């Protein structure tokens, strides 16, 4: 599909070109014809857990240089970027991190984002991914601020496995309380993400499935990925989707069901006895790059068009130089129309693993 844009290099200070009408950009598609539909925003690079597959303590220790306060995008700056993305076709915004509930006043940001409307006048869905540690305290205020949905990460039900995966002393019950409070507050459907790492928490697959059957919570299993440079990923540590499915189906028969929409990242299966459904995100064994319509805004204001990207487009400088929505819009369009990312599809071809990938806590998982 072609679109109406010329790709124009933009100098950092470019006050005198004509205001661009963002509406005219729809649909913005990349070199592989993928539209821009989702935006993930990392609101902090800090976290109160140290999951070994994401922020291993050896790297993210007391000496680690997290971003200083002034480097973070302010809520006004985030709102401005989000507004432009919505004008470009984004219908879903997910707040993430790091741990997004650590960002002070996150409710004020949600209130602003929840007021955004698509060019067709539809409200934008605001979702959030959290480790759940602070969720019992915050679920009500998040809902009141306009949050639509929440996804909670939980990698096991046994205290020892959970604490080993998260390298923390937080109890499983704290996270379960967060999930229950989110359900009661109407942040539905609550989803639970479980990253599966071979030899560490694979024995929790069936107990997790059993626990969340008939609960109204949608449990999703995620193949362990080689994001960032610090988790020491090896293919041998990945339990692939097929294996996860087989283990569950041995206890609870399953049948595959249709995706909710084109490009949904999780494959869907329903329990044959009507006890609900599960999802599997097979990012390693069944790459879904062909349908990837997601941009990520890092904590310090860079746009990344792939989870495995090495470079991002800086929007913080132009924002702080006072560029208009139209100018920010053109920067984003210029980046998206040149996008050719498909790392997961090419992973098996790589002779050498990529170095200098950004960390998930910074880019927004
Ligand atoms: N702190 C929040 C949380 O844990 O839900 C939000 C940020 S976290 C980076 C977002 C999601 O990425 C979590 O569900 C987490 O399990 C997942 N994740 C992090 N590192 C991963 C990896 N190496 N492979 C697969 N999923 C990963
Ligand atoms: Fe923190 Fe989430 Fe990463 Fe775990 S997965 S270390 S909770 S950001
Ligand atoms: Fe999207 Fe990159 Fe993941 Fe492929 S590897 S699905 S392009 S984020």
């Amino acid at each position: 599909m072609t679109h109406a844009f010329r790709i124009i290099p933009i100098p950092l200070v470019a006050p005198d070109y004509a205001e661009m009408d963002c509406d005219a950009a729809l649909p913005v598609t990349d070199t592989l014809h993928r539209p821009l539909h989702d935006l993930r925003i990392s609101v902090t690079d800090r976290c109160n857990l140290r999951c070994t597959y994401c922020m291993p303590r050896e790297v993210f220790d007391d000496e680690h240089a997290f971003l200083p306060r002034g480097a973070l995008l302010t809520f006004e700056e985030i709102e401005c970027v989000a507004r432009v993305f919505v004008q470009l076709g984004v219908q879903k915004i997910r707040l993430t991190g790091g741990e997004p509930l650590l960002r002070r006043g996150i409710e004020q940001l949600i209130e602003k984002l929840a007021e955004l409307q698509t060019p067709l006048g539809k409200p934008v869905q605001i979702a959030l991914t959290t480790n759940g540690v602070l969720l019992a305290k915050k679920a009500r205020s998040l809902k009141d601020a306009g949050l639509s949905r929440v996804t909670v990460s939980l990698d096991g039900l046994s205290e020892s496995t959970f604490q080993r995966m998260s390298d923390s002393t937080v109890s499983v019950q704290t996270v379960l309380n967060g999930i229950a409070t989110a359900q009661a507050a109407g942040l539905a459907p609550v989803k639970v993400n479980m990253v599966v790492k071979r030899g560490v928490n694979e024995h929790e697959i069936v107990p997790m499935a059993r626990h969340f059957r008939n609960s109204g919570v949608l449990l999703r299993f995620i193949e362990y990925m080689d994001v960032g440079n610090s988790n020491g990923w090896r293919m041998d540590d990945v339990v692939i989707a097929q294996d996860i499915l087989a283990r569950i189906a041995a206890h609870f028969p399953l049948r595959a069901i249709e995706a909710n929409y084109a490009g949904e990242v999780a494959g869907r299966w329903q329990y044959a006895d009507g006890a609900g459904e599960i999802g599997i995100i097979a990012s390693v064994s069944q790459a879904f790059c062909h349908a990837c319509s997601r941009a990520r805004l890092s904590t310090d204001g860079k746009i990344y068009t792939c989870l495995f990207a090495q470079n991002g487009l800086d929007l913080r400088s132009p924002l702080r130089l006072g560029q208009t929505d139209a100018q920010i819009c053109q920067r984003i369009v210029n980046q998206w129309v040149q996008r050719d990312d498909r790392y997961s599809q090419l992973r098996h071809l790589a002779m050498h693993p990529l170095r200098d990938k950004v960390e998930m806590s910074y880019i927004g998982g």
Side-chain angles (χ1 to χ4, degrees):
M1 194 188 297
T2 56
H3 49 74
F5 282 96
R6 279 176 304 137
I7 300 169
I8 317 166
I10 309 174
L12 200 55
V13 183
D16 60 350
Y17 61 80
E19 290 278 301
M20 195 185 84
D21 178 2
C22 269
D23 293 355
L26 292 172
V28 185
T29 51
D30 68 12
T31 60
L32 301 172
H33 311 298
R34 298 169 296 188
L36 173 54
H37 276 161
D38 299 330
L39 176 65
R40 297 205 158 196
I41 302 176
S42 174
V43 293
T44 176
D45 60 338
R46 292 167 196 253
C47 189
N48 42 4
L49 299 184
R50 285 291 179 274
C51 303
T52 54
Y53 52 79
C54 177
M55 295 179 75
R57 201 174 287 280
E58 312 82 80
V59 178
F60 295 88
D61 58 8
D62 291 345
E63 307 293 305
H64 182 77
F66 288 101
L67 290 167
R69 199 178 171 75
L72 271 58
L73 284 197
T74 63
F75 287 167
E76 289 71 24
E77 288 165 342
I78 293 175
E79 191 193 337
C80 172
V81 175
R83 188 170 59 233
V84 171
F85 269 99
V86 168
Q87 286 307 304
L88 285 171
V90 161
Q91 296 160 7
K92 276 191 298 184
I93 296 178
R94 179 170 294 275
L95 300 178
T96 176
E99 175 45 42
L101 298 187
L102 290 181
R103 179 85 186 245
R104 201 171 307 147
I106 186 83
E107 293 87 347
Q108 291 154 32
L109 174 65
I110 292 169
E111 263 171 38
K112 288 290 178 197
L113 297 179
E115 285 169 9
L116 296 175
Q117 290 198 339
T118 68
L120 293 177
K122 280 185 17 189
V124 175
Q125 294 281 301
I126 313 295
L128 178 140
T129 304
T130 172
N131 58 32
V133 177
L134 298 170
L135 190 56
K137 280 195 198 110
K138 293 216 159 217
R140 190 71 257 170
S141 60
L142 293 169
K143 174 70 183 172
D144 291 346
L147 189 70
S148 319
R149 286 180 283 118
V150 76
T151 298
V152 183
S153 303
L154 176 64
D155 298 329
L157 291 168
S158 87
E159 216 67 85
S160 58
T161 306
F162 173 69
Q163 294 184 348
R164 185 170 167 210
M165 286 292 277
S166 61
D167 195 1
S168 75
T169 54
V170 169
S171 76
V172 172
Q173 196 54 49
T174 303
V175 181
L176 292 177
N177 290 346
I179 293 169
T181 314
Q183 277 190 298
L187 287 167
V190 175
K191 295 180 187 167
V192 166
N193 280 353
M194 173 180 176
V195 174
V196 183
K197 205 172 164 189
R198 186 175 299 285
V200 185
N201 69 336
E202 57 182 319
H203 59 285
E204 296 272 352
I205 293 171
V206 174
M208 285 282 282
R210 183 176 291 115
H211 182 89
F212 288 108
R213 274 162 51 83
N214 285 313
S215 68
V217 167
L218 175 54
L219 175 61
R220 301 176 332 155
F221 298 90
I222 306 182
E223 288 178 352
Y224 170 42
M225 287 185 287
D226 48 338
V227 214
N229 308 297
S230 58
N231 63 13
W233 183 89
R234 297 175 317 143
M235 187 62 210
D236 287 352
D237 296 333
V238 181
V239 180
I240 63 167
Q242 217 181 355
D243 192 358
I244 295 173
L245 268 179
R247 292 182 196 208
I248 300 171
H251 295 262
F252 312 111
L254 291 163
R255 58 168 165 260
I257 50 176
E258 289 287 304
N260 284 308
Y261 51 89
E264 188 173 25
V265 296
R268 299 174 68 205
W269 282 265
Q270 211 167 43
Y271 290 114
D273 64 0
E277 68 175 80
I278 57 160
I280 304 199
I281 304 178
S283 358
V284 178
S285 66
Q286 293 159 42
F288 38 77
C289 301
H290 61 281
C292 181
S293 57
R294 193 169 282 174
R296 293 180 153 84
L297 177 63
S298 70
T299 316
D300 59 354
K302 293 196 180 88
I303 297 292
Y304 289 85
T305 55
C306 178
L307 195 49
F308 300 92
Q310 293 170 296
N311 298 298
L313 168 76
D314 176 37
L315 290 184
R316 190 184 65 193
S317 308
L319 280 166
R320 292 187 181 173
L321 284 165
Q323 289 206 347
T324 62
D325 280 14
Q327 289 167 313
I328 298 294
C329 178
Q330 190 164 4
R331 286 181 185 280
I332 295 169
V333 170
N334 282 351
Q335 183 192 27
W336 193 265
V337 298
Q338 295 180 69
R339 174 183 190 243
D340 61 2
D341 307 292
R342 51 192 186 111
Y343 176 88
S344 286
Q345 276 176 353
L346 303 177
R347 177 187 285 113
H348 64 287
L349 299 178
M351 299 293 285
H352 306 287
L354 276 185
R355 291 183 208 292
D356 304 326
K357 290 177 284 179
V358 287
E359 297 295 332
M360 198 148 175
S361 48
Y362 158 79
I363 197 180

